[in-house]
Amino acid sequence: MHSAEIIDEAGTSEKDDKPLTLPFYKLLSQADKVDWILMALGTLGAIVHGLAQPVGYFLLGKALDAFGKNINNTDEMVKALFKVVPYVWYMAFATFPAGILEIGCWMYASERQVRRIRLSFLKAVLSQEIGAFDTDLTSGKIITGISSHMFVIQDAIGEKLGHFISCFATFFSGVLIAFIACWEVSLLAIFVVPMILVIGATYTKKMNAVSATRMVYLSEATAMVEQTISHIKTVFAFVGENSAIRSFSESLQKQLGISRTEAFVKGFGTGLFQVVTFCSWALIVWVGAVVVTAGRALGGDVIAAVMSILFGAISLTYAAPDMQLFNQAKAAGQEVFQVIERKPMICTNHEGKELDAIKGSICINDVHFAYPSRMNTPILRGFSLSIPAGKVVAFVGSSGCGKSTIMSLITRFYDPIEGSILIDNYNIKDLDLKFLRRNIGVVSQEPSLFSGNIKENIQAGNWEADESQLQKAAQMANAHSFICDFPNQYFTEVGQRGVQLSGGQKQRIAIARAILKNPPILLLDEATSALDTESEKLVQAALETAMQGRTVILIAHRLSTIVNADMIAVVENGVVTETGPHPHLLTSNNFYRSLFEMQNLSQDSDARVEDPMEDLASIYTDASSHFPDESREANRTPQLSPNKEDLKERKERAVFYRIWFGLRKREIVKIFIGSCGAALAGISKPVFGYFIITIGVAYYKDNSESRVGKYSILFACIGFLSCFAHTVQHYFYGLIGEQAMTNLRQALYSAILRNELAWFEKPQNSVGSVTSQVINETATVKTIISDRMSVIVQCISSILIATVVSIRVNWRMGLVAWAVMPCHFIGGLIQAKSAKGFSAAAMLLIQNWTQSIKYGIIQGVSLCLWNIAHAVALWYTTILVKRGQSSFENGIRSYQIFSLTVPSITELWTLIPTVFSAISILTPAFHTLDRQTEIEPDEPKQPPRKSIKGDIEFSNVSFTYPSRPDMIILDNFNLTIEAGSKVALVGPSGAGKSSILALLLRFYDVNEGAVLIDWKNVKSYNLKVLRAQIGLVQQEPLLFSFSIRENICYGNEGASEAEVIQAAMEANIHEVISNLPRGYDTSVGEKGCQLSGGQKQRIAIARVLLKKPAIMLLDEATSALDAESERAVINALESLKQNTTNITVAHRLSTVINSDTIFVMDKGKVVEMGTHANLVTASEGVYSKLYRHQSFAGN
């Protein structure tokens, strides 16, 4: 995947000069003296480990010499062999401390270093200016950097680097021993090694290119899944499931295409290694025969040279995966260190001035500004304003005029392009940034809460505050009462981004947090926008108390909240056009007067209160978690069988067979062909073990040159056969693995999107965990099939062939080979277990040297046992020769066949547990796949395409949210709405208004009673057909990371350009879009971050207007709009076809006074209903009180 673009536009030239990949030594830049000592000791251990194999073959050569020199004298031969055996034991025992040093030291050193890199990365991220997060540092890049990138780096600079050094030690020591034994043969390494290196480099380069392309496609697919799940309510409301599945499938098909190239490169590259290796053997053993015939070397020396060089060269191929990992680590390190080394435009650690106290005077001088993501779109064009200390100043103006931008500049989230901002006559650039922000309190329009409990979120304002101060702040923010209603009160978990709370509740906690901070400067950006009228009045009074003695900047579209401000600044097109108190502006400023007249309820017009999505658990779709859950949803009634127990038993028995998901007959044929290739590839090791000893003995016989020449030709033929077999094996298994993974991903994703909304609201089904299940866990299928099963078949083939041939050559030695197999087996098993332990340690970043030493001891024991088996074999061969029960040739040959095949046994035993482990990882995914949704979206299968009229009835409905079954939302609720009528639902937060909209869309099913549309239970409709005829605009607009055009067309992809523009014009957003450099093709950014709240809302409204629904559901649809845009949008909504049923949820009565019927709700019931005129006359009624609270006359 391409490296992250970290440097912003100002530093583009610097970025271009930097290398595209990170030098490997840079990964070790965080090492201290202790780390270097550990790495030096680890290198020593790796070198000794690497020496073991060449020294072993050197001793084998000495054994052959002992045989050749005494070929006609058995007693002397036995004496000579017994002199060699002790050295094999010495070598075995030397590998024990080497293993401890190699693994223990490298592992511990890598843990220490990665811990520092991780902390440096986190510090660097937190020190960046906000502009970096708008453009380069997306949440995905940050999470990838601090998690998966760190694991790759730790793996690369830890045990894999030790393994890499060990492989090169094997190679260089092999070459050295070859020169000592027979320099003529060793010179051939000059030709052999370059071929292996060239092939290895070409193979690695090609695989890296394929992997990079695959990662791009995988990132694209991951983003699609994450976005769809985090916007699941919007997806359901606009029937976007099929569109999401189609886009996801198209992305997977791209991966499927690249997998063909990947499978062929992997197979042919591996096969080419075999060709070069066997042809090299053929050449070298023949040259060895020439040398022996000429009397310049002994046969044992030639075999020692041949084995040392060629196995040394093969060790380079074992290092190839390490090199691939190093490349991945350098790519990961490039992204990580670009962030670490990025110089923020606004430095958090800048040693600026810290004043004794801030009084609070603010002076903004001729400020020009454009957001880094849209430098061509200026926001402020010479903004100037002076604010005296302790005064309350309000900004009013249309959406997008730059009001919120000023707050971002005062807090130094951004720096102005021109001009300056002074606080107490000090340029804020000269003040210490942390000091500045400690003295500024902010409450934004979209409140942000952290995962944790309510107490922790409020305490974030002042960690030193005690319990009484915290509760006092909550009481001032009118939050204490609803907090105490929760079972756990202040220790209630708020969920990811506060998902467990309503909009109003989140806002009040955010206000309490700001009050607790007690700052001299307070910035309130629509601070009460999400509160109902009663709560707003209480909070407003609390804020007015909290604002005393402070400098306060207010932003509000609702003028009722700012009329008492000391100064009101009218902002238009990025400049202040006029300032003054409320009475002055009413007479002197036409823009302000028109806003006031539109919002003066005393004149039967507007006042503004923005509604929360008040019902608990009703806004879960805005949550986005990147932390996987500990458990998964247990399977419920299976989709494919009515008998749940039978299916469960079948799944437990046959999970393995399900990994071959959705394969057809022709894929089964491919599996058979791939298995034949794998079985054929398994012959190379036993054949080599048999003939290499045969050749060693042939050196001491007559006509050795011609004899060895025949074996050389045979070696070359086996090499080409092996190339063909490996290509067939990896190509077909690679295709099958990719196809099975793709099939499972598509089926799982489709199954997930069939689940009801309540399933997504469960903690274990967070966005991060579901995305991980679809992308990461399903990748296990390919790992099992392509990387595990094919090798398992190959290993079984090698073991069977080796066993048969070994027993056939000499049954006694064959049985002893099996008898010492536990040494190989235990050694291999220990290494497999320790590898699993290393991985776990890396994941947990264990900072405990005893753990590393433990894994080192395990490695040492495994290496020692491995070499003990060789010592026992040579000793027993000598015994057999002494007793006359075997010739030296057959004894060594029988063991060598088995010895060279033992790695296949170890690998087999290592692979089988990983397959079962991988299957256990897949089990939750299959549970999700088999789960029967509680709200079936596609029943009946073939619904009549009849348009609904819009008659609605709630009959004796009782309802609780599945996540909060103890909290009653609707209690025996009844409501009737005629088709084509415009009705409104008003009432305090938690009354159940938004729940009614959710039930109409059948996001949930009622506990009791029925919801009827056109006198037909919503449960009898095909849900997708029903939702296609219902439009929803939510209070918090959710946009996808597409272009503006694609967002407007979402759910209605066939719309023409003219229809899109018409919808945008009706939503009063066309002019704004047209002024953007790329117009309708402008990307809205992650979750719409490139747009203001009002712009996002108008695009969401345009999306619904394009849909032309029969029933329109507006949940505070205009809450984020300025008065002018709101009036235009309301007119557009009212101009919809007359038979459209409109249901509006609102706290701001100005948006509902023209409704045919207004239903006033409280505690899950309708307490009043009627027209605006009728309800106002009831002086003691709930609606009348709301009306008086929102009237300027009342203020």
Side-chain angles (χ1 to χ4, degrees):
M1 191 163 57
H2 64 276
S3 298
E5 297 289 319
I6 302 298
I7 310 301
D8 55 15
E9 292 179 16
T12 301
S13 59
E14 295 179 16
K15 177 189 71 179
D16 292 339
D17 294 334
K18 291 189 176 181
L20 296 177
T21 57
L22 191 78
F24 187 82
Y25 69 82
K26 193 68 175 287
L27 298 176
L28 304 174
S29 60
Q30 298 287 331
D32 58 13
K33 290 182 180 179
V34 174
D35 295 323
W36 285 110
I37 293 173
L38 288 171
M39 289 188 286
L41 291 173
T43 300
L44 176 63
I47 290 173
V48 173
H49 175 194
L51 282 170
Q53 190 176 36
V55 170
Y57 286 118
F58 179 76
L59 294 175
L60 176 62
K62 292 302 178 184
L64 279 170
D65 286 341
F67 158 76
K69 290 177 181 178
N70 305 284
I71 196 166
N72 297 317
N73 189 336
T74 304
D75 293 337
E76 290 300 321
M77 182 192 303
V78 170
K79 288 181 181 179
L81 288 172
F82 273 128
K83 290 180 181 179
V84 177
V85 171
Y87 292 100
V88 183
W89 286 100
Y90 301 153
M91 180 190 68
F93 294 133
T95 56
F96 175 69
I100 296 176
L101 291 176
E102 178 188 359
I103 294 299
C105 294
W106 276 113
M107 181 179 170
Y108 187 45
S110 67
E111 289 170 359
R112 287 167 52 88
Q113 292 173 74
V114 168
R115 180 175 178 271
R116 296 190 200 100
I117 295 173
R118 189 187 291 263
L119 288 174
S120 298
F121 181 83
L122 183 60
K123 288 178 181 177
V125 168
L126 295 178
S127 69
Q128 302 303 321
E129 76 281 2
I130 297 297
F133 299 94
D134 291 343
T135 53
D136 301 320
L137 296 179
T138 63
S139 57
K141 286 183 180 179
I142 294 170
I143 289 172
T144 301
I146 206 166
S147 56
S148 60
H149 283 354
M150 294 298 171
F151 298 143
V152 171
I153 292 171
Q154 180 170 339
D155 204 17
I157 66 174
E159 56 198 276
K160 291 296 188 295
L161 185 52
H163 179 261
F164 182 78
I165 293 172
S166 173
C167 290
F168 267 81
T170 300
F171 169 70
F172 287 116
S173 61
V175 171
L176 178 63
I177 287 173
F179 268 97
I180 295 172
C182 181
W183 66 269
E184 289 100 329
V185 170
S186 61
L187 282 177
L188 289 176
I190 297 173
F191 302 101
V192 174
V193 174
M195 283 193 292
I196 292 177
L197 293 178
V198 168
I199 292 172
T202 305
Y203 170 77
T204 303
K205 182 179 179 181
K206 188 67 177 176
M207 285 298 291
N208 286 344
V210 173
S211 297
T213 306
R214 167 182 284 280
M215 286 302 296
V216 171
Y217 293 149
L218 184 63
S219 297
E220 179 184 309
T222 304
M224 288 180 185
V225 175
E226 190 275 338
Q227 183 171 241
T228 300
I229 303 304
S230 62
H231 292 52
I232 193 65
K233 184 179 285 188
T234 303
V235 172
F236 283 167
F238 286 85
V239 198
E241 299 98 317
N242 291 340
S243 174
I245 292 169
R246 184 169 59 252
S247 299
F248 184 64
S249 298
E250 290 172 356
S251 179
L252 293 183
Q253 288 305 311
K254 296 176 184 176
Q255 294 183 54
L256 197 58
I258 202 71
S259 68
R260 294 180 180 275
T261 305
E262 182 184 41
F264 179 78
V265 169
K266 182 178 181 181
F268 187 69
T270 307
L272 214 53
F273 278 127
Q274 296 291 321
V275 170
V276 172
T277 302
F278 273 93
C279 288
S280 300
W281 280 332
L283 175 63
I284 292 176
V285 296
W286 180 79
V287 171
V290 173
V291 173
V292 170
T293 303
R296 294 196 297 271
L298 296 175
D301 292 337
V302 171
I303 289 298
V306 169
M307 299 290 275
S308 297
I309 285 179
L310 293 178
F311 276 96
I314 289 173
S315 70
L316 296 182
T317 68
Y318 295 152
D322 296 333
M323 294 175 68
Q324 187 172 355
L325 179 68
F326 296 157
N327 287 332
Q328 293 174 0
K330 289 196 292 182
Q334 174 73 6
E335 295 193 4
V336 169
F337 279 91
Q338 272 187 343
V339 175
I340 291 175
E341 295 173 358
R342 184 184 191 277
K343 301 299 181 185
M345 304 296 291
I346 302 173
C347 187
T348 307
N349 299 319
H350 175 60
E351 294 295 331
K353 298 177 182 176
E354 290 194 22
L355 309 181
D356 294 333
I358 285 186
K359 298 177 182 178
S361 65
I362 301 173
C363 185
I364 305 169
N365 298 320
D366 193 28
V367 166
H368 294 256
F369 177 74
Y371 284 101
S373 57
R374 297 199 304 272
M375 293 300 293
N376 295 328
T377 308
I379 304 298
L380 301 180
R381 301 176 173 87
F383 190 102
S384 297
L385 185 67
S386 180
I387 303 173
K391 299 296 182 181
V392 177
V393 176
F395 293 159
V396 298
S398 57
S399 180
C401 69
K403 305 184 298 297
S404 298
T405 302
I406 286 295
M407 291 193 171
S408 296
L409 294 177
I410 291 174
T411 52
R412 276 201 84 192
F413 289 164
Y414 307 90
D415 275 343
I417 296 172
E418 296 180 27
S420 61
I421 299 176
L422 309 179
I423 292 181
D424 290 356
N425 294 322
Y426 288 94
N427 192 318
I428 60 173
K429 292 183 179 181
D430 298 329
L431 298 176
D432 181 83
L433 189 58
K434 291 183 178 179
F435 167 78
L436 172 69
R437 290 175 179 169
R438 277 199 303 269
N439 287 276
I440 299 176
V442 179
V443 181
S444 60
Q445 183 178 358
E446 298 179 3
S448 297
L449 300 187
F450 300 96
S451 296
N453 58 44
I454 293 174
K455 179 181 178 181
E456 290 168 341
N457 271 280
I458 297 177
Q459 211 164 20
N462 181 5
W463 290 105
E464 297 178 357
D466 57 29
E467 196 78 21
S468 61
Q469 291 173 315
L470 188 144
Q471 290 192 14
K472 184 178 179 182
Q475 289 170 347
M476 292 177 68
N478 194 28
H480 181 72
S481 57
F482 83 76
I483 293 173
C484 291
D485 288 338
F486 291 126
N488 296 325
Q489 298 188 353
Y490 280 86
F491 294 96
T492 301
E493 293 292 322
V494 302
Q496 295 292 330
R497 300 188 183 183
V499 69
Q500 301 286 0
L501 305 178
S502 73
Q505 290 166 341
K506 287 195 292 184
Q507 190 67 290
R508 280 177 275 179
I509 289 174
I511 292 171
R513 180 170 61 195
I515 291 174
L516 187 64
K517 191 175 184 180
N518 196 27
I521 298 174
L522 191 59
L523 310 179
L524 305 174
D525 188 356
E526 290 280 355
T528 59
S529 63
L531 305 183
D532 59 82
T533 305
E534 192 68 32
S535 296
E536 184 205 6
K537 198 165 188 67
L538 293 171
V539 171
Q540 194 65 36
L543 287 175
E544 288 177 3
T545 303
M547 288 188 292
Q548 292 178 4
R550 293 184 173 88
T551 303
V552 180
I553 298 180
L554 290 168
I555 291 179
H557 290 138
R558 189 181 336 135
L559 302 188
S560 60
T561 62
I562 63 172
V563 291
N564 295 324
D566 298 314
M567 179 172 65
I568 299 172
V570 180
V571 183
E572 295 183 70
N573 296 321
V575 295
V576 176
T577 57
E578 191 167 353
T579 62
H582 172 68
H584 169 75
L585 292 176
L586 277 180
T587 59
S588 63
N589 190 281
N590 294 332
F591 177 78
Y592 186 82
R593 185 168 58 252
S594 65
L595 288 178
F596 174 78
E597 290 172 351
M598 281 191 281
Q599 295 187 28
N600 191 343
L601 280 179
S602 297
Q603 302 175 14
D604 262 354
S605 197
D606 293 339
R608 178 174 191 133
V609 178
E610 301 180 17
D611 179 41
M613 284 287 275
E614 79 282 351
D615 298 312
L616 300 176
S618 65
I619 55 167
Y620 282 7
T621 56
D622 193 37
S624 177
S625 169
H626 294 275
F627 301 96
D629 57 330
E630 294 97 10
S631 60
R632 296 285 182 189
E633 169 71 8
N635 59 308
R636 301 188 183 179
T637 307
Q639 192 169 323
L640 304 177
S641 169
N643 191 324
K644 176 179 178 178
E645 294 301 322
D646 287 350
L647 179 62
K648 183 176 180 180
E649 291 177 10
R650 178 179 66 80
K651 285 190 296 178
E652 294 301 324
R653 290 195 308 267
V655 162
F656 172 76
Y657 299 104
R658 302 190 74 190
I659 66 173
W660 311 86
F661 194 87
L663 297 180
R664 293 165 292 182
K665 288 185 179 179
R666 64 182 182 184
E667 270 97 24
I668 303 300
V669 173
K670 291 178 182 178
I671 293 173
F672 177 76
I673 296 173
S675 299
C676 291
L680 195 59
I683 71 171
S684 59
K685 292 176 182 176
V687 167
F688 175 75
Y690 180 86
F691 282 107
I692 196 65
I693 300 300
T694 304
I695 291 170
V697 173
Y699 285 145
Y700 296 98
K701 295 183 178 179
D702 297 334
N703 300 320
S704 60
E705 194 171 336
S706 61
R707 287 171 182 266
V708 174
K710 293 177 183 178
Y711 296 136
S712 298
I713 294 171
L714 183 61
F715 268 173
C717 292
I718 292 173
F720 285 103
L721 180 64
S722 185
C723 177
F724 170 76
H726 276 89
T727 302
V728 170
Q729 170 192 344
H730 290 292
Y731 180 73
F732 284 103
Y733 267 103
L735 291 184
I736 295 303
E738 186 76 28
Q739 185 65 62
M741 179 184 68
T742 299
N743 292 345
L744 179 58
R745 278 179 174 170
Q746 289 176 332
L748 181 61
Y749 190 50
S750 300
I752 286 172
L753 293 184
R754 291 175 61 85
N755 286 321
E756 71 281 0
L757 187 64
W759 184 83
F760 294 92
E761 294 170 352
K762 295 179 179 180
Q764 64 266 35
N765 298 324
S766 62
V767 176
S769 62
V770 172
T771 303
S772 176
Q773 196 174 76
V774 174
I775 300 297
N776 298 334
E777 293 178 13
T778 53
T780 311
V781 169
K782 184 180 179 183
T783 301
I784 293 174
I785 295 175
S786 302
D787 301 332
R788 301 288 187 267
M789 294 307 302
S790 67
V791 179
I792 286 174
V793 173
Q794 182 181 333
C795 290
I796 292 173
S797 171
S798 289
I799 293 166
L800 290 176
I801 294 170
T803 301
V804 172
V805 175
S806 179
I807 296 293
R808 178 72 181 82
V809 171
N810 185 283
W811 67 270
R812 289 183 178 87
M813 193 65 225
L815 293 177
V816 169
W818 269 105
V820 298
M821 207 277 291
C823 289
H824 292 292
F825 172 75
I826 293 171
L829 181 61
I830 287 174
Q831 289 194 58
K833 289 287 185 183
S834 63
K836 185 177 180 180
F838 304 156
S839 176
M843 292 293 288
L844 297 173
L845 288 179
I846 298 173
Q847 288 296 306
N848 186 342
W849 66 269
T850 57
Q851 293 287 336
S852 301
I853 293 297
K854 182 181 78 173
Y855 296 129
I857 291 173
I858 291 171
Q859 172 79 348
V861 168
S862 67
L863 293 175
C864 184
L865 287 174
W866 197 278
N867 287 285
I868 283 174
H870 297 320
V872 170
L874 183 58
W875 167 80
Y876 187 66
T877 298
T878 307
I879 296 296
L880 289 177
V881 172
K882 182 178 180 181
R883 293 175 180 174
Q885 294 174 331
S886 172
S887 66
F888 177 81
E889 176 184 3
N890 285 339
I892 289 293
R893 190 163 56 181
S894 179
Y895 175 73
Q896 196 66 23
I897 293 167
F898 200 84
S899 172
L900 291 178
T901 312
V902 159
S904 295
I905 300 175
T906 307
E907 191 171 15
L908 179 64
W909 193 257
T910 304
L911 290 174
I912 290 175
T914 63
V915 170
F916 287 109
S917 175
I919 288 174
S920 68
I921 292 173
L922 280 170
T923 301
F926 285 122
H927 285 173
T928 302
L929 183 66
D930 295 327
R931 182 183 184 273
Q932 176 64 49
T933 179
E934 295 180 1
I935 300 179
E936 177 57 58
D938 287 317
E939 294 291 344
K941 294 293 184 183
Q942 295 180 333
R945 294 289 176 179
K946 183 180 179 182
S947 299
I948 60 176
K949 296 179 181 177
D951 290 302
I952 297 170
E953 181 181 0
F954 284 73
S955 177
N956 301 318
V957 168
S958 295
F959 173 68
T960 60
Y961 282 104
S963 58
R964 295 274 179 86
D966 54 333
M967 296 187 67
I968 298 174
I969 304 300
L970 299 178
D971 184 15
N972 197 28
F973 180 82
N974 291 280
L975 180 68
T976 302
I977 300 172
E978 294 182 2
S981 60
K982 293 180 172 59
V983 303
L985 305 175
V986 300
S989 290
K993 306 183 297 298
S994 296
S995 301
I996 291 174
L997 308 189
L999 293 175
L1000 281 173
L1001 284 160
R1002 209 181 163 206
F1003 287 159
Y1004 312 93
D1005 276 341
V1006 299
N1007 299 60
E1008 296 178 15
V1011 179
L1012 309 177
I1013 293 180
D1014 290 353
W1015 316 114
K1016 183 179 175 182
N1017 195 316
V1018 291
K1019 294 182 179 180
S1020 62
Y1021 282 96
N1022 178 290
L1023 195 51
K1024 290 183 178 178
V1025 174
L1026 177 65
R1027 287 173 177 168
Q1029 301 180 71
I1030 301 177
L1032 171 68
V1033 181
Q1034 304 173 74
Q1035 179 189 3
E1036 297 182 11
L1038 297 176
L1039 301 185
F1040 297 89
S1041 301
F1042 304 150
S1043 66
I1044 293 175
R1045 175 185 285 101
E1046 289 169 322
N1047 270 283
I1048 294 176
C1049 290
Y1050 188 77
N1052 192 12
E1053 284 77 8
S1056 66
E1057 184 74 9
E1059 290 175 319
V1060 171
I1061 293 174
Q1062 180 62 32
M1065 293 175 68
E1066 291 175 353
N1068 198 31
I1069 190 66
H1070 174 69
E1071 186 177 348
V1072 173
I1073 297 172
S1074 299
N1075 289 333
L1076 295 172
R1078 299 189 61 195
Y1080 282 84
D1081 293 321
T1082 301
S1083 173
V1084 303
E1086 194 171 351
K1087 294 182 174 64
C1089 68
Q1090 305 291 348
L1091 304 176
S1092 70
Q1095 291 166 343
K1096 287 193 290 185
Q1097 190 67 289
R1098 280 179 280 175
I1099 289 173
I1101 291 170
R1103 179 169 61 192
V1104 174
L1105 293 176
L1106 186 65
K1107 192 176 183 181
K1108 298 177 182 177
I1111 299 175
M1112 178 76 81
L1113 308 178
L1114 306 173
D1115 194 355
E1116 279 292 332
T1118 59
S1119 63
L1121 304 184
D1122 58 86
E1124 186 177 352
S1125 296
E1126 179 189 27
R1127 176 59 59 88
V1129 169
I1130 288 176
N1131 290 337
L1133 294 173
E1134 290 178 350
S1135 68
L1136 286 171
K1137 57 183 181 179
Q1138 293 300 311
N1139 58 349
T1140 299
T1141 304
N1142 277 278
I1143 302 178
T1144 302
V1145 170
H1147 288 137
R1148 187 177 352 121
L1149 304 187
S1150 61
T1151 61
V1152 302
I1153 56 178
N1154 294 325
S1155 301
D1156 300 328
T1157 308
I1158 298 173
F1159 295 94
V1160 184
M1161 295 182 62
D1162 191 19
K1163 297 180 180 179
K1165 294 185 178 181
V1166 175
V1167 293
E1168 296 177 12
M1169 60 179 289
T1171 63
H1172 171 72
N1174 292 336
L1175 293 172
V1176 167
T1177 57
S1179 59
E1180 296 303 316
V1182 176
Y1183 185 86
S1184 181
K1185 291 179 180 178
L1186 292 175
Y1187 169 76
R1188 289 197 298 273
H1189 287 160
Q1190 292 188 30
S1191 173
F1192 278 143
N1195 286 324

